[in-house]
Amino acid sequence: MFLSLRTEAEEALTEALSALSLPTGDLGLEEPPEDVGAILASSVAFRLAGEVGKAPPEVAGELAETIDVADYDYLASVGTQGPYVNFHASDAYYEKTLEAAREDSYGRLEPTGREVVVEHTSANPTGPVHVGRARNPIIGDSIARLLDFAGNDVDRHYYVNDAGRQMAVFTWAYETFDESELPEPDREKADYELVRYYRKGNAVLEDGDEEEVEAAEAEIASIMQGLENGDEDAYERVERVVDTVLGGMRESLSRLPAEFDEFVKETRFIRDGSVDDLVTRLKGLDEAVYEEDAWQLDLPDFEKNLVFLRSDGTSLYTTRDLAHHEWKFEEYDHAVTVLGEDHKLQATQLAAALDLLGNDTDQLDSVFYSYVNLPEGKMSTRAGTGVDLDDLLDEAVARAREEVEVRMDDRIRNDDLSEDDIDRIARQVGIGAVRYDIVSKQPSKAITFEWDRALNFEAQSAPYVQYVHARTCGILSEAQRASENRAAEPRDGEADREPGTVDPALLDSPEERDLIEVIGRFPAVIESAAEDRQPHQIATYTRDFAETFNAFYRERQVLTDDEALTAARLALVAASRHTIANALSVLGVEAPESM
RNA sequence: GGGCACGUAGCUCAGUCCGGAUAGAGCGUCGGACUUCUAAUCCGACGGCCGUGGGUUCGAAUCCCAUCGUGCCCGCCA
């Protein structure tokens, strides 16, 4: 509804400007500060003052007078405050907003018909997911949810780097070492068990004796050649390692939760011949050069050449990724990729090469995030430094459980949480807190991981917002219980009133109006966040929402003796519940019904 | 050396793309509110040369230039 209101304000302003023969290029429409009563405002008068030769407040006044709100449904009045033109919403606006938000799916935008692929995580399957990379699945999954909620048809892809040197090293190590030479795994889980081979292998390559290293390198090279030649045996050897490790990683990721529609292996593009075709096309480009036995692309605007075929004839990651992207462009209208900031240059080169190959690179969007570091430095799978995602999530749930138990004693609400409830709440709150902490920040900002900060359950965290949802559920179930009691002893006149009818005019206090306004903004927030691929905007909104709801909760008793008033406020609470539940769902944070 | 990000209260962050109303939150500190629809909540106080210097503008945290600090990248790795 806010979107319609904004459209009306735009129209009204444009018409008024035209009527006064003023330019309509920049309407200066904005959301005014909280203490200004208006729902929308324009600062256009500032810019026109010079042109008209009058002071801004005077221009604002003329504009306000020119607009006739009778022409619009959602504008009640247009006033001025100094140089600002302020728009006030009509009763119809509040009524329609409340009506729209009665739907469970409130906030979901109309289908766009666009098919979008969101590729995220795509970590090499070398071992357990650690916190340094955990930003990727959380941001990626939230973007996927956001684009879906904004009306797109979304697929989530994990691009599996199974043809690179790292996997050849891993395969060699797995086949070479005996488990008896390895330390105990940190967990009884495939990725934890296998990463021991990978670490051992890398240690040997680094410090082993010359002969051993030489033999290993020969084996690694033969595996890579085998993959490049489409050798079925090499493929199966690597696949066994890849699929096993990936299986373990998937389990961890699903806890976030981050699920995928498809795991796309890069060997696929070697095996189906598309890499060969691509190499042929690349060689044919004017920018292609053959230097030092390797085929390269002399990209304009880039200092160094991009090698796309090694001197031994094998392809490189970027070569295969080019084929991968052309495939995505064929299958989807739009492709979004979530990448670590260290891939920025590579991503720009990829786009430049795709452009040379005749693709429309507007179809591609990259979102970059900066890695999470430990206070003592970087996390690395190979070196075994870092905090595993599983450990972080376990710790989060354990701490949340402690909180639940501490709070049990001074709970007012007498609803006897069962052991299952405690488990559920601990999981929802603990994992929600981790996820929310990450998704609520701009991806470009650096994060240093600290236990206490990541697991803070206080305000501006998931539990703060989840609590609001639990409150709405508590009120609604209380109302349900009361109405069932009444139904048991029917009173005269009770049947006259439709249970579903509410009179929104009763919701006229500032707290109620503010709450409806915040609810009304939700679809616009979804639209903007989806447009910018910025799920953190939704997190910021949930905090605003929670604050506004809490003010309403503090000042206005919902369940009263006044039935009509109670019905109206219950409708507002239900609308609030849908809004906050959907916002949390876009963030991938669970919405507990009690906590 | 070159390129790209980031720098806002003691700490963690919104706001920056698209310039507008006294720069907003939370944590921490101090002081208040549970016999109530859930206190994981709420109310109040304290706290800011928006890294620094210039410029553009009626107006700059926001745009431009310079500069400092931090991170990332500049491989026939991924």
Side-chain angles (χ1 to χ4, degrees):
Chain A
M1 223 44 60
F2 184 77
L3 296 169
S4 311
L5 173 80
R6 198 171 58 191
T7 307
E8 288 195 355
E10 282 165 5
E11 270 176 35
L13 207 50
T14 305
E15 279 186 28
L17 287 165
S18 305
L20 298 170
S21 309
L22 293 168
T24 57
D26 183 358
L27 300 177
L29 213 57
E30 60 190 76
E31 286 176 42
E34 267 177 56
D35 51 345
V36 176
I39 194 158
L40 276 173
S42 167
S43 59
V44 72
F46 279 113
R47 283 178 285 285
L48 301 173
E51 195 161 332
V52 189
K54 292 177 186 164
E58 208 177 328
V59 180
E62 286 179 21
L63 281 168
E65 270 176 44
T66 309
I67 295 170
D68 183 2
V69 293
D71 297 341
Y72 302 96
D73 294 332
Y74 301 141
L75 300 179
S77 63
V78 179
T80 65
Q81 193 168 331
Y84 293 94
V85 179
N86 289 341
F87 295 89
H88 299 271
S90 66
D91 288 342
Y93 174 71
Y94 291 95
E95 198 175 327
K96 290 284 184 186
T97 297
L98 197 62
E99 196 181 303
R102 297 185 80 173
E103 297 289 328
D104 282 347
S105 63
Y106 176 63
R108 178 174 279 281
L109 305 185
E110 289 297 309
T112 61
R114 284 158 64 85
E115 297 194 21
V116 179
V117 57
V118 175
E119 180 203 326
H120 69 85
T121 309
S122 302
N124 291 349
T126 52
V129 182
H130 61 64
V131 172
R133 286 203 278 251
R135 247 181 148 171
N136 201 320
I138 292 174
I139 294 169
D141 186 67
S142 303
I143 289 177
R145 287 162 180 270
L146 174 60
L147 293 180
D148 174 276
F149 202 65
N152 301 286
D153 234 323
V154 178
D155 273 352
R156 300 134 204 247
H157 285 188
Y158 186 123
Y159 184 51
V160 186
N161 308 147
D162 62 340
R165 180 183 152 84
Q166 288 189 63
M167 292 324 298
V169 168
F170 205 151
T171 303
W172 155 75
Y174 181 67
E175 293 171 351
T176 302
F177 303 110
D178 189 82
E179 188 166 8
S180 62
E181 332 171 49
L182 302 171
E184 285 295 306
D186 293 340
R187 275 172 198 252
E188 302 290 316
K189 200 158 159 285
D191 43 347
Y192 290 82
E193 280 162 13
L194 262 68
V195 74
R196 298 175 298 160
Y197 294 93
Y198 183 65
R199 287 180 183 146
K200 169 96 177 170
N202 277 290
V204 166
L205 289 176
E206 222 165 281
D207 300 320
D209 63 68
E210 220 172 293
E211 228 171 273
E212 195 180 8
V213 171
E214 210 169 288
E217 289 294 356
E219 183 59 24
I220 291 162
S222 105
I223 293 170
M224 290 179 71
Q225 278 289 353
L227 289 179
E228 197 70 30
N229 299 335
D231 173 11
E232 203 58 33
D233 180 55
Y235 177 77
E236 278 170 18
R237 286 163 66 195
V238 174
E239 186 181 45
R240 184 163 54 138
V241 175
V242 168
D243 288 353
T244 310
V245 177
L246 206 52
M249 295 169 76
R250 284 173 73 169
E251 259 180 66
S252 306
L253 291 169
S254 71
R255 299 177 67 187
L256 285 171
E259 309 274 1
F260 295 88
D261 296 296
E262 204 170 340
F263 286 79
V264 181
K265 289 180 174 166
E266 57 177 344
T267 45
R268 159 185 182 158
F269 302 103
I270 298 175
R271 286 152 68 84
D272 72 3
S274 53
V275 170
D276 281 343
D277 290 348
L278 185 97
V279 165
T280 308
R281 283 165 58 215
L282 285 169
K283 283 178 179 171
L285 292 174
D286 291 343
E287 292 80 1
V289 294
Y290 186 73
E291 281 173 16
E292 298 180 30
D293 300 331
W295 278 96
Q296 324 189 358
L297 226 42
D298 185 4
L299 293 170
D301 307 325
F302 288 93
E303 242 178 79
K304 301 200 173 165
N305 289 353
L306 177 69
V307 175
F308 63 86
L309 205 59
R310 292 192 182 96
S311 49
D312 67 1
T314 56
S315 61
L316 288 94
Y317 173 81
T318 309
T319 321
R320 300 185 292 265
D321 206 18
L322 283 168
H324 170 219
H325 274 84
E326 289 203 322
W327 170 75
K328 288 206 264 189
F329 287 174
E330 271 173 39
E331 300 285 319
Y332 298 93
D333 298 314
H334 202 85
V336 178
T337 320
V338 182
L339 296 164
E341 63 177 349
D342 51 336
H343 285 67
K344 260 187 189 175
L345 179 64
Q346 185 264 331
T348 347
Q349 287 177 326
L350 180 86
L354 283 168
D355 185 52
L356 288 179
L357 288 164
N359 296 283
D360 174 13
T361 48
D362 287 346
Q363 285 182 86
L364 181 61
D365 237 327
S366 300
V367 174
F368 297 98
Y369 66 95
S370 101
Y371 275 93
V372 178
N373 289 318
L374 293 170
E376 55 270 26
K378 286 191 191 178
M379 304 193 202
S380 153
T381 301
R382 187 164 52 197
T385 57
V387 176
D388 290 320
L389 177 63
D390 286 313
D391 290 342
L392 173 63
L393 298 182
D394 286 351
E395 180 72 17
V397 173
R399 292 199 194 191
R401 199 189 165 86
E402 275 173 43
E403 288 289 323
V404 178
E405 280 163 1
V406 166
R407 288 163 208 276
M408 281 291 272
D409 301 330
D410 42 39
R411 256 177 101 80
I412 291 174
R413 193 176 166 86
N414 184 23
D415 56 358
D416 292 327
L417 294 180
S418 68
E419 200 56 29
D420 283 351
D421 284 326
I422 297 175
D423 283 345
R424 169 185 60 81
I425 295 167
R427 188 177 46 78
Q428 290 178 322
V429 166
I431 291 178
V434 169
R435 178 151 178 151
Y436 192 90
D437 185 56
I438 288 178
V439 79
S440 61
K441 290 172 180 134
Q442 286 191 54
S444 58
K445 306 258 183 174
I447 295 183
T448 301
F449 178 81
E450 284 163 56
W451 281 105
D452 288 337
R453 197 176 291 153
L455 300 181
N456 175 10
F457 300 147
E458 304 278 317
Q460 264 196 2
S461 68
Y464 172 71
V465 178
Q466 289 173 316
Y467 190 64
V468 166
H469 181 263
R471 265 184 168 166
T472 60
C473 293
I475 296 169
L476 293 170
S477 69
E478 196 62 35
Q480 182 71 28
R481 199 178 316 169
S483 85
E484 277 162 14
N485 286 345
R486 268 202 306 277
E489 320 167 33
R491 285 179 294 168
D492 292 341
E494 182 80 9
D496 294 345
R497 197 170 57 78
E498 275 290 314
T501 55
V502 300
D503 181 4
L506 296 171
L507 304 171
D508 60 352
S509 70
E511 293 81 18
E512 288 158 329
R513 289 286 159 135
D514 284 350
L515 184 52
I516 298 172
E517 283 175 23
V518 175
I519 290 171
R521 268 175 41 218
F522 182 49
V525 172
I526 291 290
E527 185 188 68
S528 152
E531 178 79 20
D532 300 342
R533 286 100 172 83
Q534 290 186 338
H536 83 270
Q537 288 183 24
I538 307 299
T540 304
Y541 173 78
T542 60
R543 277 199 290 270
D544 261 3
F545 181 91
E547 249 167 62
T548 312
F549 183 85
N550 283 329
F552 161 75
Y553 178 84
R554 183 180 72 244
E555 302 294 336
R556 305 291 150 190
Q557 181 80 17
V558 176
L559 306 174
T560 65
D561 293 337
D562 183 334
E563 277 172 34
L565 185 63
T566 298
R569 288 189 178 157
L570 276 173
L572 181 52
V573 172
S576 299
R577 180 186 171 178
H578 301 147
T579 305
I580 200 64
N582 290 339
L584 283 172
S585 142
V586 165
L587 295 174
V589 172
E590 290 200 51
E593 296 191 5
S594 67
M595 61 187 277

